[in-house]
Amino acid sequence: MSVFVQEVTKLYGSQKALDRVSFEINSGEVVGLLGPNGAGKSTLMKIISCYIPASSGIVKVNEKDIREDSIAVRRQVGYLPEQNPLYYDMYVKEYLGFVAGIHLPSRSIKKRVEEMIELTGLSAEQRKKIGELSKGYKQRVGIAQALIHDPKVLILDEPTSGLDPNQLIEIRQLIKNAGKEKTVILSTHIMQEVEALCSRVIIINKGNIVADDPVEILRKQSRPEKVFLIEFDRQLKADELKSLDFIKSAEQNGENKWKITSKGNEDIRPALARFANEQNLLILSLAMEESRLEDIFHLLTSQ
Ligand code: ADP
């Protein structure tokens, strides 16, 4: 077991930010932590990284208890906080050397800094001050500092927020590479990011876990019915479609185009084809909409 969280509660004064949260993460899993603002994601990540203590509950990283053996846990965890706190007046190389010095013996620092600069694509920018870097490159420095001691568990708090589309792709690729050999927990608001990077999703709402499933299973749960987009070669009345017993609703979204919701969870494309045949209609296009993670996220976090 890579990360073990049992009945963890966190109180800030009288406010409960986490309420008896429990889950386990196996080595090598890449887990997305989703939830609206204020759900408790950062609090949970700070607790696992030993930045703040839990009010109660047990957290273990690779069998080490964060209260009993916090130094051993810190050795195994790399953490990129949400605001990526960097020293803007330090040079990239200087800063990474400084962070490496916290973890490693002095003889290994130079080589490790060079490796990290190479790995995170910082070579061209390595002689600049951190304050002079673009946001994407600052994130690379943040990821480099999180990886510098070769931790087994990588915790990234909204690593791609505020990046432009190109930077986003590059940082995702970096995370993907890191995820090949590490356990990764990352928080994000972006569903495509979860789909691109994570094998499993934990959704938190108001300090409680409301879903913990593989991405595929969560997506399947997201809608009890299926949605189809169809285009006929001529106009139809809504009633003609709605009278069919396998259709729950039909909404016109173009001249001869319809958005149809099925009554059950079945694929009604063959039934639609039969209907069209009987009515002498031609189907110009027909597609089943993929159910989306957004839907389940909205469903689970809107109360
Ligand atoms: P998220 O990362 O999901 O946005 P957070 O873990 O940052 O959520 O916050 C969870 C709740 O705890 C929020 O209501 C937030 O205002 C509160 N909170 C977070 N940090 C502190 C703090 N240091 N002192 C008091 N309340 C806090």
Side-chain angles (χ1 to χ4, degrees):
M1 197 63 54
S2 190
V3 178
F4 174 86
V5 174
Q6 190 179 54
E7 302 264 309
V8 165
T9 293
K10 177 68 185 177
L11 292 163
Y12 293 113
S14 59
Q15 192 196 346
K16 210 178 258 186
L18 292 174
D19 187 8
R20 292 191 295 151
V21 165
S22 299
F23 59 86
E24 293 171 16
I25 299 178
N26 290 318
S27 297
E29 277 192 278
V30 180
V31 176
L33 210 52
L34 285 181
N37 281 330
K41 304 179 296 294
S42 296
T43 299
L44 183 57
M45 294 180 134
K46 285 177 195 162
I47 291 171
I48 301 170
S49 330
C50 306
Y51 268 66
I52 57 170
S55 304
S56 60
I58 298 170
V59 178
K60 290 182 186 172
V61 175
N62 289 332
E63 318 302 330
K64 309 272 189 215
D65 191 305
I66 56 166
R67 281 171 311 180
E68 289 160 13
D69 221 342
S70 121
I71 298 291
V73 171
R74 284 165 212 243
R75 281 200 184 110
Q76 307 209 10
V77 173
Y79 173 46
L80 175 63
E82 189 184 356
Q83 303 301 341
N84 190 8
L86 297 166
Y87 294 111
Y88 281 19
D89 285 332
M90 284 179 105
Y91 292 91
V92 172
K93 247 183 148 167
E94 184 191 12
Y95 172 69
L96 291 177
F98 164 68
V99 180
I102 297 170
H103 296 282
L104 307 171
S106 45
R107 65 188 140 76
S108 329
I109 293 174
K110 190 165 176 282
K111 184 162 170 278
R112 187 62 184 155
V113 169
E114 278 163 11
E115 281 170 5
M116 291 320 300
I117 284 174
E118 175 74 30
L119 187 81
T120 53
L122 278 164
S123 301
E125 309 287 297
Q126 61 179 303
R127 289 193 176 76
K128 283 192 182 164
K129 276 192 177 175
I130 291 173
E132 294 164 1
L133 300 178
S134 68
K135 171 118 199 201
Y137 276 94
K138 287 192 183 102
Q139 284 305 87
R140 286 170 195 251
V141 176
I143 292 174
Q145 70 73 29
L147 286 171
I148 207 144
H149 53 303
D150 197 19
K152 295 201 168 57
V153 179
L154 188 60
I155 298 182
L156 307 169
D157 198 348
E158 296 194 24
T160 59
S161 82
L163 299 183
D164 73 33
N166 293 335
Q167 294 169 334
L168 205 117
I169 291 168
E170 289 161 9
I171 297 295
R172 276 189 200 153
Q173 192 55 46
L174 255 179
I175 298 170
K176 210 168 192 166
N177 291 344
K180 284 182 192 153
E181 48 179 42
K182 297 190 190 300
T183 305
V184 180
I185 306 176
L186 86 123
S187 74
T188 178
H189 289 291
I190 311 166
M191 303 295 155
Q192 296 99 303
E193 194 148 288
V194 170
E195 308 211 275
L197 295 171
C198 306
S199 50
R200 176 176 155 198
V201 188
I202 295 178
I203 302 181
I204 303 189
N205 190 36
K206 296 180 186 158
N208 293 289
I209 292 185
V210 291
D212 178 357
D213 288 296
V215 174
E216 263 317 298
I217 291 189
L218 207 57
R219 200 186 292 122
K220 286 205 181 99
Q221 284 173 357
S222 63
R223 273 200 205 125
E225 66 271 330
K226 285 193 161 67
V227 175
F228 300 83
L229 300 172
I230 190 163
E231 181 178 3
F232 297 110
D233 64 334
R234 64 173 163 84
Q235 279 201 331
L236 269 182
K237 293 205 178 70
D239 286 346
E240 290 181 69
L241 286 169
K242 282 182 191 158
S243 65
L244 296 167
D245 59 3
F246 53 87
I247 288 180
K248 184 176 160 194
S249 68
E251 195 185 303
Q252 197 157 6
N253 69 346
E255 199 180 348
N256 301 327
K257 293 180 181 169
W258 295 85
K259 184 173 176 177
I260 292 173
T261 306
S262 63
K263 263 192 188 139
N265 195 25
E266 260 144 59
D267 183 354
I268 59 167
R269 284 176 296 183
L272 284 167
R274 276 195 296 276
F275 163 75
N277 198 22
E278 284 159 19
Q279 302 294 316
N280 263 335
L281 279 165
L282 272 180
I283 294 177
L284 301 182
S285 68
L286 172 57
M288 185 159 66
E289 258 194 1
E290 281 280 321
S291 46
R292 300 172 316 152
L293 275 182
E294 270 98 337
D295 298 334
I296 187 89
F297 179 80
H298 185 67
L299 192 76
L300 293 172
T301 61
S302 53
Q303 303 97 14

